[in-house]
Amino acid sequence: MLLGKTDYTCNGVPLGFAAVEQTFVVPPDANLLTFDYIILSEDASPDQRYDRFEVYFWKVSESMPASPAYADGNQINQGLACGNWHRVPESGWKSGSIDLTAYREMMVTVSFRNYSRYDNWYNTYTYLDNVRIQ
């Protein structure tokens, strides 16, 4: 899955997020929700104010949390420029996970999001694959 858009012009990136989410009952023997991703960004992401990939996870009976259960982004804060792409990880796919043991047999929602924040400069998008419950 592609979260975001690959061809926004450098100073024409809309603020907001691209997301895919699913609500499901966690199986009684589930341990982890795992996923693989690649982030491509012209921006740096030293904290939540900037572009990055985030995963939110919550019980349906509660509100979506203010902070993500998992987050990642480009940590190289040098050489930011239109067309200067940074890849996370530098090669292959990166794996992430969320511990499901406290949510067994509960109805939950997971939301995978690619955020463009702060200003309309510097595009970021994320490829997501191999989402699975282990």
Side-chain angles (χ1 to χ4, degrees):
M1 166 138 326
L2 172 62
L3 299 173
K5 190 173 177 184
T6 62
D7 60 353
Y8 284 128
T9 59
C10 189
N11 64 351
V13 180
L15 299 180
F17 62 90
V20 60
E21 67 182 40
Q22 179 73 46
T23 298
F24 62 97
V25 174
V26 176
D29 58 349
N31 292 314
L32 292 173
L33 174 72
T34 61
F35 47 90
D36 298 329
Y37 64 93
I38 298 169
I39 303 167
L40 289 155
S41 183
E42 296 171 308
D43 205 354
S45 181
D47 60 47
Q48 193 171 356
R49 293 177 293 162
Y50 301 100
D51 297 4
R52 65 185 192 161
F53 169 63
E54 297 178 356
V55 182
Y56 290 83
F57 189 84
W58 68 96
K59 290 190 268 184
V60 170
S61 61
E62 299 175 352
S63 298
M64 185 180 119
S67 297
Y70 186 93
D72 198 2
N74 172 38
Q75 299 301 306
I76 300 170
N77 202 9
Q78 304 171 39
L80 300 181
C82 297
N84 189 13
W85 291 95
H86 298 275
R87 187 181 192 281
V88 178
E90 289 183 20
S91 66
W93 290 80
K94 192 167 184 180
S95 296
S97 65
I98 296 172
D99 186 353
L100 296 177
T101 56
Y103 298 94
R104 290 176 176 160
E105 299 186 60
M106 294 181 191
M107 180 83 66
V108 298
T109 299
V110 62
S111 183
F112 297 94
R113 298 177 175 206
N114 181 87
Y115 275 92
S116 292
R117 294 189 175 104
Y118 189 70
D119 59 23
N120 298 102
W121 286 86
Y122 306 137
N123 193 15
T124 298
Y125 56 92
T126 304
Y127 290 102
L128 175 67
D129 200 6
N130 297 321
V131 179
R132 56 203 174 273
I133 295 173
Q134 299 183 345

